Amino acid sequence: MASQSLDIARRSATTTQPPNVRGDVPKVAKLIDISKCIGCKACQAACMEWNDYRDKVGTCNGTYNNPPDLDADQWTVMRFTEYEPEGGKLEWLIRKDGCMHCADPGCLKACPAPGAIVQYGNGIVDFHEEHCIGCGYCITGCPFDIPRLSKKDGKAYKCTLCSDRVAVGLEPACIKSCPTGALVFGTKDDMIHHAEGRIADLNSRGFAQAALYDPKGVGGTHVMYVLPHGDKPEIYDRLPKDPGISPWVSVWKGVTKPILGLGLGVIALGGFIHYVTKGPNEADDEDAKEDKHERR
Amino acid sequence: MNAADRISRYSSQERANHWMVALLFVLAALSGLALFHPAFFFLSDFFGGGTWDRILHPFLGVLMFLSFLGLMARFWSHNRYTPADREWLKRIGDVLGNREEGLDTGKYNAGQKTLFWVMVVTTILLLISGVIIWQPWFAPYFPIALLRVAVVVHSLSAWVLIAGIFVHIYAAIWVKGTVRAMTRGYVSRAWAKKHHPAWYREIGK
């Protein structure tokens, strides 16, 4: 939801600068430390409670994933993976999935409805459902398969990073509920610094490849992971190794459309110029006379 | 115009079919352009706002395709290319400069035929890609990677079709006496003789 105290850095389908007078707002970030997550789903419950949604009760699909997928009524889910590294060991990987709040958001780029998707000055990417037209283009723009169209109202929903709480100086509901400190929230700089400490700790515990997941392909994200196996993000339930906005979306939306839009104008202008320079093509009396002659 | 100076070009059914397609094209194009670029988003106001625009556009498109099937059936055989078309295309500069003397054009010239085939190809592409991205009915059944391609195919074909229709409308304004063929059904004999001499001879027989 729109909040007066949040500056808007970018606004979907808008070609001028949205209100951003305060400008230099510190960037925020959520850090998800996978090595500390115990899969208790307190964050899922807190998200439901604060944002006041209830997904319909589903069925067990044989995993601990419950519900099994994101939905318009489920903005974050724990994704459980049984991973067997070499040496006959078993690791239970648990990834809290949800919107990554990309610095370069593909959803916002793809959206044709003015103001349906905004990026605040602090980096949070938010859907304003009252402007959403339900076309689903945000789904094509997202490299992480996050937005979901609601079957109830035809609008797209996803994690807001509790923009309403952040606007009044509170941390997101999921952070508040996390019992192990796997979830932390603050400025992006602080979170990167915090992650460095965690990675050094993991390195000393035998996770030599531990790394921060802040993918550059989308300009970095405002939700970051500490991955114990940082060289293999895909083992964490298909977390993309090098995500980016599909060129089918970025090139098309970026340069092609304004040029083509202009092209239609040029064609129309071309017709007008042709008419006033070459003039109409008219059958004249001469043609009529010839026709009369032939008919005789 | 004297009744004796007229040649019938389009039957009342053909005219009705044409204008049905034309009307649906205008509605589909305007509602589609609204989603093409923010500069055109205001067009969605004509359809009751963005959400109604998104809801109505695919139905308008499908209706346009169905009525265009009628035109395809009616005009398909008249739009096969002939050797005379090669000559017409070679002398496109003369045609644009209003110097079409000596060209033995039949019922349709090569430009009109090309436009016909452009419309056939683009409307089919629009239908297929449009169904793929149609929310909420069909899009959820297709992979996201395919949706991305379909959106581009859809808007690119739409652009080609709209540009083609611009040419179609201009040509009708430019070549005087053409619009009447589609509004009243007839052209003057002089028009036929000047612009479509081979057709003129065929009719005159």
Side-chain angles (χ1 to χ4, degrees), chain A residues 31-93:
Chain A
L31 183 68
I32 304 172
D33 184 350
I34 285 187
S35 67
K36 281 192 180 176
C37 178
I38 57 172
C40 69
K41 298 176 186 166
C43 54
Q44 268 184 222
C47 183
M48 291 167 66
E49 190 176 358
W50 177 261
N51 294 298
D52 203 16
Y53 59 72
R54 298 290 183 276
D55 202 358
K56 60 180 183 305
V57 176
T59 51
C60 177
N61 70 349
T63 72
Y64 275 80
N65 301 358
N66 177 24
D69 196 13
L70 295 168
D71 192 63
D73 290 325
Q74 188 67 49
W75 302 346
T76 186
V77 290
M78 302 295 104
R79 297 191 184 277
F80 294 77
T81 309
E82 286 162 31
Y83 175 61
E84 293 177 55
E86 61 288 346
K89 284 189 287 187
L90 176 72
E91 281 182 40
W92 209 18
L93 310 179

Side-chain angles (χ1 to χ4, degrees), chain A residues 133 140 274 281 291 294, chain B residues 54 96 100 148 170 193 200:
Chain A
I133 63 171
T140 69
H274 180 262
N281 186 350
D291 163 54
E294 272 182 45
Chain B
R54 184 268 302 168
L96 289 172
E100 58 183 313
R148 291 180 181 133
Y170 175 68
K193 184 167 169 40
Y200 167 83

Side-chain angles (χ1 to χ4, degrees), chain A residues 207-259:
Chain A
F207 291 96
Q209 301 299 322
L212 177 68
Y213 186 81
D214 179 25
K216 293 290 163 274
V218 289
T221 53
H222 294 275
V223 171
M224 305 181 292
Y225 290 108
V226 170
L227 302 177
H229 300 283
D231 54 331
K232 289 180 284 213
E234 61 281 359
I235 65 173
Y236 297 95
D237 202 296
R238 293 163 290 129
L239 182 63
K241 187 161 193 152
D242 187 19
I245 302 172
S246 161
W248 286 97
V249 176
S250 58
V251 176
W252 181 240
K253 280 279 177 175
V255 289
T256 324
K257 286 204 162 186
I259 292 172

